[in-house]
Amino acid sequence: MEQRLRKAIQAIKGIKIPDLPKAIIELDDELSKRFPSNQVITKIIESNTKLSGEVLRIANSPAMKLRSPVNSIRESVDALGYQNLKNLVVAAALKNLFDNPKIQEIIEHSAEVAFCCAEISEDVANVTRDEAYLMGLFHNGGSLLLAMKDPDGYTKIFSDINTRPVSGVEEETQHYSTTHMDVGLLLAQKWKLPVDILNAILLHHTKNLSHPNDRLRAMVSMLKIANVIVSEVSFGSYMSDEAHQYLEEAREDLMLSTDTINEIRKSLIAYA
């Protein structure tokens, strides 16, 4: 693994992996206290106008399905709880940092995968909507960094990965001597994401994954299904047989019906 991460670092040499935003560090400090203060948490998030606006946008989006809209960060604290809110803050911070026209396609794809993961979480035990959304948004973090390093060359590779999730990654490895999963792990580690999300990022292109951790295996299958659904909507007839097989294996692993997959597809079209 150490050798793989060295290759990942070399592949994006010259591109700085974004630091964990100050607001998240301060939020972690407050949440680590025995009795966190809602007032302090609200102040930390509201101190960054762009961040707080994005948090409210995500909280009120169809991805979160709150029972009633929230109109302020304080209401978000009450409605979501501490850990759920933190997940949305991290997701919002990532979207703000990578607001770059050159990599807009990857950002949009990741946001749609995040939405689908949130929808799938309704049928998966022990994975919350906000956690699923965060995982979906971060799973292509490595692609964002590789695209920033090679904006012209990586676009085609990214399309190939979406239509051919196994052989596309092999092509990516040939070009960059690494994968977006390994590069993505560097970003996710720096941002201190939960261990299961780190592992899901690393394993989400593994064919026929066999893992003793049922929750992790479920999270990987969620990413596989979400990726294929988003790519089907985007690329249509260009999808390969390996992509359809990829989705079918993950669907069977989660024991989801084809009707459920179709409903998620319809929800994505309405959301997008």
Side-chain angles (χ1 to χ4, degrees):
M1 190 66 211
E2 185 178 343
Q3 185 178 5
R4 285 170 56 180
L5 292 180
R6 280 201 297 268
K7 288 182 178 180
I9 292 169
Q10 184 62 33
I12 57 168
K13 189 175 181 179
I15 300 296
K16 185 179 185 299
I17 300 174
D19 292 323
L20 195 66
K22 179 183 176 185
I24 296 175
I25 296 172
E26 293 176 346
L27 194 58
D28 272 339
D29 288 342
E30 183 61 28
L31 292 178
S32 67
K33 295 179 179 177
R34 186 175 181 183
F35 299 109
S37 165
N38 287 6
Q39 184 176 356
V40 171
I41 290 169
T42 300
K43 185 176 179 181
I44 289 169
I45 300 172
E46 286 183 341
S47 65
N48 185 319
T49 304
K50 190 175 181 181
L51 178 64
S52 60
E54 183 65 19
V55 169
L56 284 175
R57 190 196 69 77
I58 296 174
N60 287 315
S61 75
M64 291 302 107
K65 285 189 176 177
L66 290 182
R67 291 181 179 178
S68 58
V70 290
N71 299 307
S72 67
I73 295 299
R74 180 54 190 267
E75 287 183 19
S76 299
V77 176
D78 296 335
L80 293 164
Y82 294 144
Q83 187 57 52
N84 296 349
L85 179 65
K86 185 198 167 183
N87 287 342
L88 294 199
V89 171
V90 175
L94 180 75
K95 292 194 74 174
N96 285 343
L97 276 176
F98 284 99
D99 187 10
N100 185 326
K102 291 183 179 180
I103 53 177
Q104 192 62 35
E105 178 186 347
I106 300 174
I107 294 170
E108 290 175 359
H109 183 275
S110 298
E112 290 176 358
V113 169
F115 169 80
C116 288
C117 282
E119 290 288 284
I120 296 167
S121 71
E122 293 292 315
D123 294 287
V124 178
N126 302 321
V127 181
T128 62
R129 289 189 72 90
D130 55 278
E131 187 177 33
Y133 185 90
L134 181 65
M135 175 181 69
L137 200 62
F138 263 87
H139 86 287
N140 272 340
S143 292
L144 292 170
L145 293 170
L146 285 166
M148 290 175 68
K149 173 72 174 182
D150 180 22
D152 295 325
Y154 193 76
T155 302
K156 182 180 182 304
I157 298 288
F158 185 71
S159 295
D160 287 345
I161 291 170
N162 289 329
T163 54
R164 299 183 294 115
V166 178
S167 51
V169 169
E170 292 172 357
E171 183 181 354
E172 180 183 53
T173 306
Q174 291 174 1
H175 276 78
Y176 301 103
S177 298
T178 190
T179 68
H180 67 282
M181 295 88 78
D182 289 354
V183 177
L185 188 63
L186 297 174
L187 173 65
Q189 284 179 328
K190 192 167 186 178
W191 280 46
K192 301 179 181 178
L193 296 193
V195 172
D196 280 349
I197 292 183
L198 293 179
N199 286 323
I201 289 170
L202 191 62
L203 297 170
H204 75 272
H205 277 276
T206 304
K207 191 176 180 181
N208 298 320
L209 177 65
S210 176
H211 199 283
N213 184 330
D214 291 340
R215 176 177 137 89
L216 171 59
R217 198 175 64 250
M219 292 169 81
V220 169
S221 292
M222 290 168 69
L223 283 173
K224 289 180 176 182
I225 292 170
N227 263 292
V228 176
I229 289 175
V230 171
S231 297
E232 282 176 343
V233 171
S234 301
F235 298 102
S237 60
Y238 290 98
M239 297 299 290
S240 65
D241 288 341
E242 71 180 59
H244 296 309
Q245 183 180 358
Y246 193 70
L247 178 132
E248 187 61 19
E249 289 171 354
R251 184 190 69 79
E252 290 179 358
D253 185 56
L254 292 180
M255 294 184 290
L256 301 180
S257 68
T258 53
D259 287 343
T260 298
I261 299 297
N262 289 333
E263 286 302 314
I264 294 169
R265 190 179 289 112
K266 290 176 185 177
S267 296
L268 172 65
I269 293 170
Y271 172 75

